[in-house]
Amino acid sequence: AQSVTQLDSQVPVFEEAPVELRCNYSSSVSVYLFWYVQYPNQGLQLLLKYLSGSTLVESINGFEAEFNKSQTSFHLRKPSVHISDTAEYFCAVSDRSGGYQKVTFGTGTKLQVIP
Amino acid sequence: DVKVTQSSRYLVKRTGEKVFLECVQDMDHENMFWYRQDPGLGLRLIYFSYDVKMKEKGDIPEGYSVSREKKERFSLILESASTNQTSMYLCASGGSGGAYEQYFGPGTRLTVT
């Protein structure tokens, strides 16, 4: 069985400050890792993903996440946040179970960017 | 551009009513999913389908059923709505083979009174 832990339910941060949203997972097999973002009154959309290869993955809007196998973590970081980054962020893990890929989502972290 | 649409953004129903939530995707994806989203609980999988007329229970299927008669359409049915089914319902679709991302609809906020 796989699981995802996002310990921080809310993270307030001032505009232009750096931020890290934490994600830890557990799984008995190889995993794929994702970060999704949900803006107010919208569905989720993929921010970035780790499938294989380089452990550092980046998004087009300045976020990055690093896969750390030994610590079973996939933390999301941004060196300088903008007001428009205010949203809820979900970490997700996927492995092969029963011939299909089940995706398990974390409980989400609300990022509040303060002007 | 990829698109997943849901039949309603907001819905108010009475206890005991039968409720249909519809989802349509235009990406020719094999897999479709229904989740409910509640504060502090994240997304929980209700049902998913990996092919037409095929369905599998997710983590919280009780009180729900689904129908997939066409590849692009996946319906969630609440046979007899109850107040504890008040929630945000999200539909998603995804391709098969390898690691795939899921594409989400905008969600339906259902209130059962």
Side-chain angles (χ1 to χ4, degrees), chain A residues 32 34 36 38 41-46 49 51 88 90 96 100-103 105-108, chain B residues 9-10 33 35 37 40-43 45 48 59 90 97-102 104-107:
Chain A
Y32 305 121
F34 307 84
Y36 285 84
Q38 185 180 34
N41 298 315
Q42 295 186 25
L44 279 70
Q45 54 187 279
L46 183 71
K49 61 184 176 183
L51 304 182
E88 190 161 16
F90 292 89
R96 284 209 172 272
Y100 63 88
Q101 288 191 327
K102 179 181 178 180
V103 179
F105 288 84
T107 52
Chain B
R9 290 301 303 272
Y10 300 93
F33 308 84
Y35 296 91
Q37 181 181 11
L41 297 178
L43 275 71
L45 183 64
F48 69 97
D59 299 318
L90 293 170
Y100 58 86
E101 65 185 88
Q102 295 187 13
F104 284 83

Side-chain angles (χ1 to χ4, degrees), chain B residues 34-36 38 44-48 56-66 76-87 89 110:
Chain B
W34 275 107
Y35 296 91
R36 63 177 283 177
D38 299 289
R44 292 179 291 167
L45 183 64
I46 304 171
Y47 268 97
F48 69 97
E56 293 282 345
K57 292 180 179 179
D59 299 318
I60 53 164
E62 295 78 19
Y64 303 94
S65 62
V66 291
L76 179 69
I77 303 154
L78 287 65
E79 295 290 343
S80 177
S82 63
T83 54
N84 62 13
Q85 293 178 310
T86 291
S87 185
Y89 290 87
L110 172 67

